[in-house]
Amino acid sequence: VIGKGIVRLDARRSDGTVFPVDLSLARAQSPAGEIYVAFLRDISDRVRNEAELKRARDRAIAGEKQKAELLAVMSHEMRTPLNGMLGTLELVDDKALDARHQRYLRIVRESGRILLRHVNDVLDISRLDAGKMTLRKTGFDLVSLLEDIVDNQRQHASARGNRLILVPPNPELHRVYGDPERLRQILLNLVGNALKFTRDGTVEIEAEYLDDARNELELRVIDSGIGIREEDLARIFRDFETLDSSYAREAGGTGLGLGIAQRFARLMGGSIGAESEPGEGSLFWVRLPLPQTARGATEDAPVSEVAELPQR
């Protein structure tokens, strides 16, 4: 141990008890000849504190795991009866009801759908955090996917007086390779959020390759809505964040959408971010490795991949 710096060892007291020490031993020359200089420090308190921190960390990790498992089980158990209830409601012949009962039925149906979306969000979060989410990569038509999203959200946009616009994408985006369903979920979350916080304005969707060599694709959702303060941009991707209670009451939601979008983007090997100014609208971008495929590749069989979500 001579000249090796600080070494942790066990020492023994005169009564025979063993305790941890830091030892530093050096050699030097003196007029009287060679000497050895040693520093010995009792680190019992530090070792005891470190052990307690490790135990606390292990308890926290175990608690988080149990919470994730509970959320996954409860979300699944809640989704099953919800699907049964919604399916039964669709069988009710509302034409046989008067106007008042038709309105009640619409409220029940819409409330059930909202609750099912919330349950699905929690289930997605728990599966992602547990590393149980898989990617199914295949060749697909990205332009058609974007057009489907616009068609799907057009009624939602019109209800708030908004125009939902797809900026004409490059024809090369007709043939890309990746997981279309995860990408669809990311974009639906971003477009849905943009429409929630925009009234009598516009929401645009853009897509283009940033670097052909790396096959990095950037998708942008740009709105003319209320915008986000700079100090809030750092936390909008946290779970259950709604920034302001008045926004939450007006727009609804659990605050999980952006957290799910971020997890999916990272699962696919990409990243997500936002730029905004209060009153000037927002720009959300997603950058993903989506290489182009040869003509006809969209008919290839999908390939399932188990992807481990990187630590945040």
Side-chain angles (χ1 to χ4, degrees), residues 186 216-217 261-272 285-289 310:
I186 292 173
E216 185 177 43
L217 181 76
Q262 183 185 59
R263 285 170 169 84
F264 278 140
R266 292 168 55 231
L267 186 71
M268 296 173 69
S271 58
I272 189 170
W285 53 262
V286 186
R287 296 177 187 136
L288 299 170

Side-chain angles (χ1 to χ4, degrees), residues 134-152:
T134 60
L135 292 178
R136 288 183 59 82
K137 292 187 176 182
T138 185
F140 67 98
D141 188 334
L142 177 58
V143 176
S144 292
L145 185 146
L146 296 175
E147 290 172 346
D148 288 346
I149 289 174
V150 171
D151 290 339
N152 177 277

Side-chain angles (χ1 to χ4, degrees), residues 93-240:
D93 184 8
D94 55 359
K95 294 179 181 178
L97 303 175
D98 58 37
R100 183 172 60 129
H101 287 93
Q102 286 180 0
R103 182 167 62 87
Y104 293 161
L105 184 60
R106 284 197 302 272
I107 292 172
V108 173
R109 284 174 174 167
E110 184 57 27
S111 297
R113 293 189 188 104
I114 291 172
L115 182 56
L116 183 60
R117 285 199 297 271
H118 293 341
V119 171
N120 286 335
D121 282 348
V122 174
L123 187 57
D124 281 343
I125 286 284
S126 58
R127 289 177 64 197
L128 282 162
D129 288 347
K132 303 295 185 181
M133 191 67 74
T134 60
L135 292 178
R136 288 183 59 82
K137 292 187 176 182
T138 185
F140 67 98
D141 188 334
L142 177 58
V143 176
S144 292
L145 185 146
L146 296 175
E147 290 172 346
D148 288 346
I149 289 174
V150 171
D151 290 339
N152 177 277
Q153 295 294 304
R154 182 168 282 121
Q155 185 175 358
H156 183 197
S158 299
R160 296 182 63 83
N162 295 319
R163 290 189 305 134
L164 182 56
I165 302 168
L166 173 60
V167 176
N170 193 307
E172 65 188 2
L173 299 181
H174 278 291
R175 298 182 301 277
V176 300
Y177 182 79
D179 187 327
E181 291 311 309
R182 304 302 175 219
L183 179 57
R184 186 188 304 272
Q185 287 178 271
I186 292 173
L187 291 174
L188 282 174
N189 275 322
L190 295 183
V191 173
N193 257 17
L195 293 173
K196 280 181 186 179
F197 299 109
T198 304
R199 186 179 289 277
D200 301 323
T202 59
V203 175
E204 295 185 357
I205 304 174
E206 300 178 352
E208 66 174 342
Y209 277 110
L210 297 180
D211 186 341
D212 289 335
R214 293 177 55 199
N215 291 314
E216 185 177 43
L217 181 76
E218 181 174 273
L219 298 116
R220 296 181 288 272
V221 176
I222 308 166
D223 66 68
S224 59
I226 60 177
I228 304 169
R229 294 178 301 177
E230 183 178 356
E231 58 268 28
D232 290 328
L233 283 172
R235 62 188 183 94
I236 57 176
F237 292 99
R238 297 176 189 169
D239 296 340
F240 305 107

